[in-house]
């Protein structure tokens, strides 16, 4: 006999996980009660997350020992076990939380997707964004506690500096967008949040520059820990097998690139193929966005015309320029799918 106890447990524990990680809740499309909140910026958040997951897993194992689970429930239990072990690995064995000093990219991503995804009226979305901007100074102060002393890694610190130095321009972008869409009361609150937060971002930038002075390049996980991480994540291949596969794939990719270059140029060289592509490429970011949007619309119409799939009414794939603060992590392009619960 299968049981609903497992599903009931999941429904009870997920909000508790979201209460510790309200940004995760927003990213997954659970907005009510979470969109106005920032998580704790320090390692306390990870410890609280592990505590919730530990309790969740313990209770889930008890249910599994008492009742027969469905296939989907067994998969959920395996995912939960993996979440607990990988979180503990990240907390204690390879503490990325005290090595990678980027505090602003993920909060920025959550705000950016809230701005773009029309899951609620604009007024509700900009109110949540304003609240999160207002919470950034406290979040950043808590985040810096991770690095007393921590172990900042040089290339990650340099990337964090690039992100932070362009973050205030993202706040300006939010303000510009709101000025065209939000009522005056919302703009007043947004202006106050940005005014209070911009100096905190500048202070954070200076902290990152100071942190860079003691940053190191010693970031390697090492074979033993990497092998363990692979096992925790369910990979059956060893590091040597993965390396062999990667080298083989890279070799095949290079061979295919050469073959296509010869075909494109009627027997020409790889460099000639590059030049052909460059000549046919958009010259500005604005042209990149507009031409990509046109290609997306054309592809959509092709699917409709050929009756290849049913296209849902309403949702629209929006093509926008990557915010400057994300260009370090997304140097070309990224696709943000609809959230799970949206």
């Amino acid at each position: 006999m299968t049981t609903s106890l497992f599903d009931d447990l999941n429904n009870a524990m997920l909000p508790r996980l979201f209460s510790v990680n309200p940004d995760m809740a927003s990213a997954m499309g659970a907005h009510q009660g979470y969109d106005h909140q920032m998580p704790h910026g320090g390692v306390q958040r990870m410890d609280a997350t592990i505590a919730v997951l530990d309790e969740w897993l313990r209770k889930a194992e008890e249910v599994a020992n008492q009742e027969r689970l469905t296939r989907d429930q067994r998969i959920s239990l395996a995912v939960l076990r993996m979440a607990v072990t990988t979180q503990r690995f990240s907390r204690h064995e390879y503490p990325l939380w005290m090595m990678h000093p980027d505090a602003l990219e993920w909060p920025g991503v959550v705000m950016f997707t809230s701005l773009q995804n029309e899951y609620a009226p604009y007024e509700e979305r900009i109110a949540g964004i304003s609240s999160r901007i207002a919470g950034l100074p406290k979040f950043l102060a808590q985040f810096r506690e991770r690095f007393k002393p921590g172990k900042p890694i040089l290339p990650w610190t340099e990337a964090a500096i690039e992100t932070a130095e362009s973050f205030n321009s993202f706040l300006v972008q939010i303000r510009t967008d709101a000025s065209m869409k939000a009522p005056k009361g919302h703009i007043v609150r947004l202006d106050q949040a940005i005014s209070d937060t911009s100096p905190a971002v500048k202070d954070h930038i200076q902290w990152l520059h100071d942190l860079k002075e003691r940053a190191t390049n010693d970031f390697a996980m090492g074979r033993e820990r990497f092998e363990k991480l692979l096992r925790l994540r369910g990979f059956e291949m060893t590091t040597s097998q993965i390396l062999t596969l990667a080298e083989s794939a890279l070799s095949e990719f290079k061979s295919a690139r050469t073959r296509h270059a010869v075909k494109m140029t009627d027997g020409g060289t790889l460099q000639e193929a590059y030049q052909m592509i460059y000549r046919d490429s958009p010259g500005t970011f604005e042209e990149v966005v507009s031409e990509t949007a046109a290609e997306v619309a054309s592809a959509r119409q092709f699917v409709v015309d050929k009756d290849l799939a049913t296209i849902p009414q309403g949702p629209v794939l929006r093509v926008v320029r990557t915010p400057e603060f994300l260009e370090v992590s997304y140097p070309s392009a990224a696709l943000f799918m609809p959230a799970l619960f949206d």
Side-chain angles (χ1 to χ4, degrees):
M1 176 178 180
T2 58
T3 177
S4 65
L5 292 177
F6 189 85
D7 294 334
D8 292 341
L9 173 64
N10 291 343
N11 291 334
M13 295 301 297
L14 186 60
R16 290 183 54 188
L17 184 65
F18 283 165
S19 69
V20 178
N21 302 277
D23 50 344
M24 177 199 298
S26 296
M28 294 184 68
H31 303 285
Q32 189 67 35
Y34 302 111
D35 276 2
H36 290 253
Q37 300 179 31
M38 286 291 290
H40 194 285
V43 72
Q44 292 91 324
R45 172 188 185 176
M46 180 173 282
D47 291 338
T49 297
I50 291 173
V52 172
L53 290 175
D54 277 343
E55 180 183 346
W56 192 345
L57 178 60
R58 176 177 56 78
K59 292 180 177 179
E61 297 282 15
E62 291 174 357
V63 173
N65 289 333
Q66 297 169 7
E67 305 284 353
R68 180 167 61 89
L69 301 184
T70 66
R71 179 178 180 274
D72 285 348
Q73 290 172 337
R74 292 195 300 272
I75 292 174
S76 295
L77 180 57
V79 171
L80 183 56
R81 290 170 180 150
M82 185 181 297
V84 170
T85 54
T86 53
Q87 282 286 318
R88 289 192 172 280
F89 182 90
S90 298
R91 173 65 173 91
H92 301 291
E93 298 190 52
Y94 191 69
L96 197 64
W97 57 270
M98 56 179 282
M99 300 166 67
H100 196 323
D102 186 356
L104 288 168
E105 180 181 307
W106 176 242
V109 167
V110 175
M111 294 178 200
F112 176 66
T113 53
S114 295
L115 199 64
Q116 298 296 328
N117 296 347
E118 298 177 352
Y119 57 83
Y122 187 84
E123 292 82 356
E124 292 182 22
R125 291 183 283 127
I126 201 65
I129 292 171
S130 296
S131 294
R132 281 185 162 146
I133 293 173
L136 272 175
K138 180 179 180 181
F139 174 83
L140 292 175
Q142 293 168 340
F143 182 89
R144 291 192 288 269
E145 292 296 315
R146 303 180 181 195
F147 292 85
K148 294 183 177 179
K151 183 186 176 183
I153 304 303
L154 181 58
W156 298 342
T157 304
E158 291 172 337
I161 290 172
E162 288 189 51
T163 297
E165 288 182 337
S166 57
F167 196 82
N168 275 335
S169 67
F170 173 58
L171 298 182
V172 173
Q173 177 185 339
I174 294 174
R175 174 61 173 82
T176 301
D177 190 78
S179 68
M180 298 181 287
K181 302 176 182 177
K184 183 177 180 180
H186 286 278
I187 294 177
V188 170
R189 287 190 288 274
L190 177 61
D191 283 342
Q192 186 62 57
I194 292 175
S195 177
D196 293 342
T197 297
S198 292
V201 173
K202 292 179 181 178
D203 290 343
H204 190 72
I205 293 170
Q206 184 57 56
W207 173 79
L208 284 168
H209 281 285
D210 294 341
L211 194 69
K212 180 181 174 181
E213 296 301 315
R214 61 181 181 87
T216 175
N217 282 307
D218 180 23
F219 62 87
M221 182 181 293
R223 180 180 292 271
E224 183 177 341
R225 282 188 293 187
F226 188 52
E227 292 274 11
K228 180 176 181 178
L229 181 59
L230 290 176
R231 293 195 300 273
L232 293 178
R233 289 184 173 176
F235 285 87
E236 296 181 355
M237 300 175 69
T238 66
T239 53
S240 297
Q241 290 171 328
I242 291 174
L243 178 60
T244 298
L245 176 64
E247 290 173 340
S248 174
L250 180 59
S251 176
E252 173 55 30
F253 172 81
K254 289 181 176 180
S255 297
R257 180 183 59 177
T258 301
R259 291 195 303 271
H260 288 303
V262 171
K263 185 176 180 180
M264 285 172 57
T265 58
D266 293 328
T269 65
L270 189 61
Q271 188 60 38
E272 288 172 334
Y274 283 148
Q275 292 171 356
M276 180 184 297
I277 293 171
Y278 293 149
R279 286 194 301 269
D280 194 40
S281 297
T284 65
F285 276 112
E286 290 73 19
E287 291 175 351
V288 169
V289 172
S290 63
E291 290 191 21
T292 303
E295 288 296 327
V296 167
S298 176
R300 184 183 190 279
Q301 193 59 47
F302 179 86
V303 172
V304 172
D305 293 343
K306 300 297 183 181
D307 197 24
L308 300 177
T310 301
I311 303 295
Q313 297 298 315
V316 176
L317 177 59
R318 302 182 62 188
V319 180
V320 298
R321 179 173 177 173
T322 303
E324 187 179 353
F325 80 95
L326 284 178
E327 290 179 358
V328 176
S329 299
Y330 302 94
S332 55
L335 176 63
F336 289 91
M337 301 293 288
L340 178 63
F341 299 122
D342 274 343

